[in-house]
């Protein structure tokens, strides 16, 4: 796809006074009480980089009969946050009524969630209501890795006259085991940036990681990929949060995360930089593939182990092992991989396979 130049999008500093990157948006996953909102906001207001306070009040939940947000009363709390702190406020909107209410309550920034972006009817409805309204709108990537749906939402909003647009990368739904709640698939936001270079793009490490321990590394990576900012969930008492408790962090911890981030300057030519990022995204993709392949290989090893047991055959089959290693080394050397590395790699893989078949603690997948 060629770059999309036709979108009329303003840079962040055109609508946010005294902006210096990264743009940090923080706040609880869900508004829960006035006390929670004010206490969290007070902590966040002390962090220089935090400019926008976020809170979900209408929560899109996968299953019914769970907490679905406090609804409109959360808008009063957001107003109080704004009055008490220097922070702007942001809320997730998914339909006409949400937008009308948010605008009436002077919310400063709207965002559209991952479950809404996937639906063109919803996006069109939102765009229609926003016609003639001058407000920044942040668009999360859709749950599915569908770059066109993400771009389509940005296009519809831009067509309705929204120029203060920001894309938020929050990772993608996956079936496979992963350390991430939503796999980042960094190549997708990178491709978005390539197609629409003037579109501000920020990362949401909270929803990618799903757990607080991963936030720093993901945020760090986003900065290395030259993203323009971060949306990070923060709560004054994270363990008691009613939604996404595992991924929320204390304002004080957010301060530490932000202070450790190295905001790098552009090194070398921009072209060199973006090409380098593409190489790395490709390496990450390949490594993810390697991990998936290894996991599938170990699944088969487990099956073989059971099979050998059933037929009372020894686990170690020396003939097979010597043939396997010489075959793999030969093939690898032909492709330019060092012999020494191949022997070490396959010896380690073989050892793990033996362990899986002989050690009952490894035999059953967790
Ligand atoms: C959220 O930001 O709390 C949220 C629901 O995010 P997403 O739409 O990315 O799942
Ligand atoms: Mn959340």
């Amino acid at each position: 796809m060629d770059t999309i130049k036709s979108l009329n999008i303003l840079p962040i500093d055109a609508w946010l006074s005294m902006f210096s990157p990264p743009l940090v948006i923080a706040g609880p996953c869900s508004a829960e009480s006035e006390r929670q909102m004010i206490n969290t906001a007070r902590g966040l207001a002390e962090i220089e980089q935090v400019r926008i306070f976020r809170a979900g009040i209408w929560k899109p939940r996968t299953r019914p009969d769970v907490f679905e947000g406090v609804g409109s009363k959360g808008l009063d709390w957001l107003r109080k946050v704004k009055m008490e702190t220097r922070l702007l406020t942001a809320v997730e909107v998914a339909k006409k009524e949400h937008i009308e209410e948010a605008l009436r309550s002077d919310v400063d920034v709207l965002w559209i969630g991952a479950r809404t972006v996937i639906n063109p009817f919803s996006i069109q409805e939102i765009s229609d209501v926003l016609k003639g309204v001058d407000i920044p709108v942040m668009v999360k990537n859709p749950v599915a890795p569908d770059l066109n749906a993400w771009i389509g939402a940005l296009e519809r909003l831009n067509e309705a006259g929204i120029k203060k647009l920001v894309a938020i990368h929050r990772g993608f739904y996956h079936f496979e085991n992963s350390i991430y709640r939503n796999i980042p698939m960094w190549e997708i936001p990178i491709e978005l940036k390539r197609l629409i270079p003037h579109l501000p793009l920020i990362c949401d490490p909270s929803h990618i990681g799903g757990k607080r321990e991963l936030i720093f590394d993901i945020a760090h990576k986003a900065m290395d990929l030259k993203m323009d900012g971060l949306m990070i969930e923060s709560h004054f008492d994270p363990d008691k949060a009613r939604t996404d408790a595992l991924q929320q962090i204390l304002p004080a911890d957010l301060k530490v995360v932000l202070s450790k981030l190295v905001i790098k300057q552009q090194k070398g030519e921009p072209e060199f930089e973006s090409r380098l990022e593409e190489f790395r995204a490709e390496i990450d993709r390949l490594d993810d593939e390697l991990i998936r392949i290894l996991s599938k290989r170990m699944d088969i090893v487990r099956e073989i182990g059971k099979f050998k047991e059933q037929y009372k055959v020894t686990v170690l089959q020396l003939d097979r092992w010597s043939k396997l290693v010489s075959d793999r080394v030969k093939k690898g050397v032909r492709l330019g991989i060092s012999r020494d590395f191949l022997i070490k790699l396959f010896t380690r893989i073989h050892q793990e396979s033996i362990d899986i078949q002989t050690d009952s603690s490894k035999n059953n997948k967790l």
Side-chain angles (χ1 to χ4, degrees):
M1 214 193 289
D2 289 336
T3 52
I4 304 169
K5 296 205 182 75
S6 55
L7 295 185
N8 185 358
I9 297 169
L10 293 172
I12 297 172
D13 62 4
W15 52 267
L16 188 63
S17 64
M18 315 226 296
F19 168 61
S20 103
L23 170 65
V24 180
I25 300 152
C29 177
S30 301
E32 295 163 6
S33 68
E34 184 173 328
R35 180 172 160 265
Q36 169 239 15
M37 293 276 272
I38 299 289
N39 280 348
T40 306
R42 279 185 189 143
L44 293 172
E46 281 170 25
I47 308 171
E48 199 190 331
Q49 297 100 316
V50 178
R51 300 293 308 273
I52 303 176
F53 180 84
R54 62 147 281 158
I57 65 173
W58 300 287
K59 297 302 295 179
R61 303 305 299 278
T62 309
R63 307 282 294 270
D65 301 328
V66 290
F67 175 62
E68 290 186 310
V70 292
S72 314
K73 66 180 175 211
L75 292 169
D76 296 334
W77 306 337
L78 276 174
R79 200 196 281 277
K80 286 191 178 148
V81 164
K82 187 148 83 161
M83 271 164 23
E84 229 204 77
T85 66
R86 56 171 182 81
L87 301 169
L88 299 176
T89 55
V91 79
E92 175 177 349
V93 291
K95 52 187 192 178
K96 185 167 174 273
E97 294 75 19
H98 296 163
I99 296 171
E100 288 167 349
E101 284 194 52
L103 294 177
R104 270 201 300 276
S105 295
D106 295 325
V107 168
D108 300 294
V109 176
L110 306 177
W111 92 80
I112 304 175
R115 290 161 191 78
T116 307
V117 175
I118 201 71
N119 183 345
F121 287 130
S122 302
I123 294 297
Q124 194 55 54
E125 178 184 314
I126 289 170
S127 304
D128 290 344
V129 191
L130 285 173
K131 253 182 207 135
V133 179
D134 183 23
I135 190 165
V137 180
M138 305 189 293
V139 182
K140 291 217 181 185
N141 67 254
V143 182
D146 180 350
L147 180 57
N148 269 327
W150 200 3
I151 293 176
L154 292 158
E155 284 174 331
R156 282 179 204 270
L157 287 157
N158 200 229
E159 226 162 80
I162 300 294
K163 293 184 194 156
K164 300 169 181 170
L165 280 171
V166 174
I168 305 180
H169 168 229
R170 51 78 78 199
F172 301 89
Y173 181 78
H174 59 95
F175 283 116
E176 313 247 352
N177 286 341
S178 163
I179 57 162
Y180 301 108
R181 177 178 176 195
N182 292 288
I183 42 172
M185 302 183 80
W186 296 100
E187 65 278 14
I188 294 183
I190 288 171
E191 178 65 359
L192 178 69
K193 194 81 185 157
R194 190 185 70 77
L195 292 171
I196 318 176
H198 58 305
L199 170 69
L201 173 62
I202 73 170
C203 180
D204 172 347
S206 309
H207 289 88
I208 292 176
K211 35 191 150 347
R212 38 188 91 104
E213 307 80 76
L214 294 179
I215 289 175
F216 175 77
D217 283 354
I218 300 167
H220 181 74
K221 172 134 183 168
M223 293 299 97
D224 254 343
L225 295 179
K226 302 233 164 2
M227 293 210 187
D228 304 287
L230 299 164
M231 177 186 257
I232 297 182
E233 287 186 340
S234 177
H235 191 294
F236 85 117
D237 190 0
D239 289 332
K240 298 224 174 74
R242 297 187 70 182
T243 55
D244 290 352
L246 294 180
Q247 69 193 33
Q248 303 208 52
I249 56 174
L250 285 168
D253 291 338
L254 176 63
K255 190 172 182 165
V256 175
V257 165
L258 295 175
S259 71
K260 284 199 300 189
L261 285 180
V262 181
I263 310 302
K264 291 186 186 147
Q265 297 305 310
Q266 188 93 16
K267 306 171 272 166
E269 297 295 315
E271 224 153 272
F272 161 82
E273 286 292 307
S274 66
R275 188 79 190 103
L276 187 65
E277 283 161 13
E278 279 173 28
F279 278 133
R280 286 179 179 158
E282 183 68 7
I283 294 272
D284 289 347
R285 198 185 60 71
L286 289 170
D287 283 351
D288 287 351
E289 214 171 285
L290 259 178
I291 291 166
R292 267 199 291 273
I293 289 173
L294 277 173
S295 152
K296 280 191 186 139
R297 193 188 192 285
M298 295 310 169
D299 284 344
I300 295 175
V301 163
R302 258 178 220 103
E303 286 302 308
I304 294 180
K306 287 187 195 138
F307 196 55
K308 285 177 183 162
E309 197 170 82
Q310 196 183 338
Y311 285 84
K312 305 214 178 338
V313 171
T314 57
V315 165
L316 182 61
Q317 300 280 320
L318 267 180
D319 275 6
R320 163 73 179 156
W321 163 234
S322 346
K323 274 190 205 134
L324 185 152
V325 72
S326 69
D327 172 76
R328 307 306 188 255
V329 168
K330 212 187 306 159
K331 283 178 179 153
V333 167
R334 231 182 274 143
L335 292 175
I337 306 175
S338 98
R339 189 185 159 75
D340 178 48
F341 171 69
L342 287 161
I343 292 175
K344 278 192 191 131
L345 177 67
F346 279 96
T347 304
R348 189 64 197 85
I349 290 176
H350 182 247
Q351 185 56 49
E352 180 71 6
S353 306
I354 296 280
D355 291 350
I356 285 176
Q357 295 178 49
T358 52
D359 177 346
S360 57
S361 67
K362 285 194 175 183
N363 209 340
N364 293 314
K365 212 174 175 182
L366 294 178

Coordinates of all heavy atoms in Angstrom, one line a residue, residues 14-41:
A14 N 0.2 20.9 18.2 CA -0.7 21.9 17.6 C -2.0 22.0 18.5 O -2.7 23.0 18.5 CB -1.1 21.5 16.2
W15 N -2.2 21.0 19.4 CA -3.4 21.1 20.3 C -3.1 21.0 21.7 O -4.0 21.2 22.6 CB -4.5 20.2 19.8 CG -4.1 18.7 19.6 CD1 -3.7 18.1 18.5 CD2 -4.1 17.7 20.6 NE1 -3.4 16.8 18.7 CE2 -3.6 16.5 20.0 CE3 -4.4 17.6 22.0 CZ2 -3.5 15.3 20.7 CZ3 -4.3 16.4 22.7 CH2 -3.9 15.3 22.0
L16 N -1.8 20.6 22.1 CA -1.5 20.5 23.5 C -0.4 21.5 23.8 O 0.7 21.3 23.3 CB -1.0 19.0 23.7 CG -0.8 18.6 25.2 CD1 -2.1 18.7 26.0 CD2 -0.2 17.2 25.3
S17 N -0.7 22.4 24.7 CA 0.3 23.4 25.0 C 1.5 22.9 25.7 O 1.4 21.9 26.4 CB -0.4 24.5 25.9 OG -0.6 23.8 27.2
M18 N 2.7 23.5 25.4 CA 3.9 23.1 26.0 C 4.2 21.6 26.0 O 4.7 21.0 26.9 CB 4.0 23.6 27.4 CG 3.5 25.0 27.6 SD 4.5 26.0 28.6 CE 4.4 25.3 30.2
F19 N 3.9 21.0 24.8 CA 4.1 19.5 24.7 C 5.5 19.2 24.5 O 6.2 19.7 23.6 CB 3.2 19.0 23.6 CG 3.5 17.6 23.2 CD1 3.4 16.5 24.1 CD2 4.0 17.3 21.9 CE1 3.7 15.2 23.8 CE2 4.3 16.0 21.6 CZ 4.2 14.9 22.5
S20 N 6.0 18.3 25.3 CA 7.3 17.8 25.0 C 7.2 16.2 25.1 O 6.8 15.7 26.1 CB 8.4 18.4 25.8 OG 8.8 17.5 26.8
P21 N 7.6 15.5 24.0 CA 7.4 14.1 24.0 C 8.1 13.3 25.2 O 9.1 13.8 25.6 CB 7.9 13.6 22.7 CG 8.3 14.8 21.9 CD 8.3 16.0 22.9
P22 N 7.6 12.2 25.6 CA 6.4 11.5 25.2 C 5.1 12.1 25.8 O 5.2 12.6 27.0 CB 6.7 10.1 25.7 CG 7.5 10.2 26.9 CD 8.4 11.5 26.7
L23 N 4.0 12.0 25.1 CA 2.7 12.3 25.7 C 2.4 11.1 26.6 O 2.3 10.0 26.2 CB 1.7 12.4 24.6 CG 0.2 12.5 25.0 CD1 0.0 13.8 25.8 CD2 -0.7 12.4 23.8
V24 N 2.1 11.4 27.9 CA 1.7 10.4 28.8 C 0.2 10.6 29.3 O -0.1 11.6 29.8 CB 2.6 10.2 30.0 CG1 2.2 9.1 30.9 CG2 4.1 10.0 29.5
I25 N -0.5 9.5 29.0 CA -1.9 9.5 29.5 C -2.0 8.4 30.5 O -1.6 7.3 30.3 CB -2.8 9.1 28.3 CG1 -2.7 10.2 27.2 CG2 -4.3 9.0 28.7 CD1 -2.9 9.6 25.8
A26 N -2.5 8.8 31.7 CA -2.5 7.8 32.8 C -3.8 7.9 33.6 O -4.5 9.0 33.6 CB -1.3 7.9 33.7
G27 N -4.2 6.8 34.2 CA -5.4 6.9 35.0 C -5.9 5.5 35.1 O -5.4 4.5 34.5
P28 N -7.0 5.3 35.9 CA -7.5 3.9 36.2 C -8.1 3.3 34.9 O -8.6 4.1 34.1 CB -8.5 4.1 37.3 CG -8.9 5.5 37.2 CD -7.8 6.3 36.7
C29 N -8.1 2.0 34.9 CA -8.9 1.3 33.8 C -10.3 1.8 33.9 O -10.9 2.3 33.0 CB -8.8 -0.2 34.0 SG -9.7 -1.1 32.8
S30 N -10.9 1.7 35.1 CA -12.3 2.1 35.3 C -12.4 3.1 36.4 O -11.7 3.0 37.5 CB -13.2 0.9 35.7 OG -13.1 0.0 34.7
A31 N -13.3 4.1 36.2 CA -13.6 5.0 37.4 C -14.5 4.1 38.3 O -15.3 3.3 37.9 CB -14.5 6.1 36.9
E32 N -14.1 4.2 39.6 CA -14.8 3.4 40.6 C -15.5 4.2 41.7 O -16.6 3.9 42.1 CB -13.8 2.4 41.2 CG -13.3 1.4 40.2 CD -12.0 0.7 40.7 OE1 -11.6 0.9 41.9 OE2 -11.4 0.0 39.9
S33 N -14.9 5.2 42.1 CA -15.5 6.1 43.1 C -14.8 7.5 43.0 O -13.7 7.6 42.4 CB -15.2 5.5 44.5 OG -13.8 5.6 44.8
E34 N -15.4 8.5 43.6 CA -14.8 9.8 43.6 C -13.5 9.8 44.3 O -12.5 10.3 43.8 CB -15.8 10.8 44.2 CG -15.3 12.2 44.1 CD -16.3 13.2 44.6 OE1 -17.5 13.0 44.5 OE2 -15.8 14.3 45.2
R35 N -13.4 9.1 45.4 CA -12.2 9.0 46.2 C -11.0 8.4 45.3 O -9.9 8.9 45.3 CB -12.5 8.2 47.4 CG -11.3 8.0 48.3 CD -11.7 7.4 49.7 NE -10.5 6.8 50.3 CZ -10.1 5.6 50.2 NH1 -10.8 4.7 49.5 NH2 -9.0 5.2 50.8
Q36 N -11.4 7.3 44.7 CA -10.4 6.6 43.8 C -9.9 7.5 42.7 O -8.7 7.6 42.5 CB -11.0 5.3 43.2 CG -10.1 4.7 42.2 CD -10.9 4.5 40.8 OE1 -11.9 5.2 40.6 NE2 -10.3 3.7 39.9
M37 N -10.8 8.2 42.1 CA -10.4 9.1 41.0 C -9.5 10.3 41.5 O -8.5 10.5 40.9 CB -11.7 9.7 40.3 CG -12.5 8.6 39.6 SD -11.9 8.3 38.0 CE -12.8 9.5 37.1
I38 N -10.0 10.9 42.6 CA -9.2 12.1 43.0 C -7.8 11.7 43.6 O -6.8 12.3 43.3 CB -10.0 12.8 44.1 CG1 -11.3 13.4 43.6 CG2 -9.2 14.0 44.7 CD1 -11.2 14.5 42.6
N39 N -7.8 10.6 44.4 CA -6.5 10.1 44.9 C -5.6 9.7 43.9 O -4.4 10.1 43.9 CB -6.8 9.0 45.9 CG -7.2 9.4 47.2 OD1 -7.2 10.6 47.5 ND2 -7.7 8.5 48.0
T40 N -6.1 9.0 42.9 CA -5.2 8.6 41.8 C -4.7 9.8 41.0 O -3.5 10.0 40.7 CB -5.9 7.6 40.8 OG1 -6.4 6.6 41.6 CG2 -5.0 7.1 39.7
A41 N -5.6 10.7 40.7 CA -5.3 11.9 39.9 C -4.3 12.8 40.7 O -3.3 13.4 40.0 CB -6.5 12.7 39.6

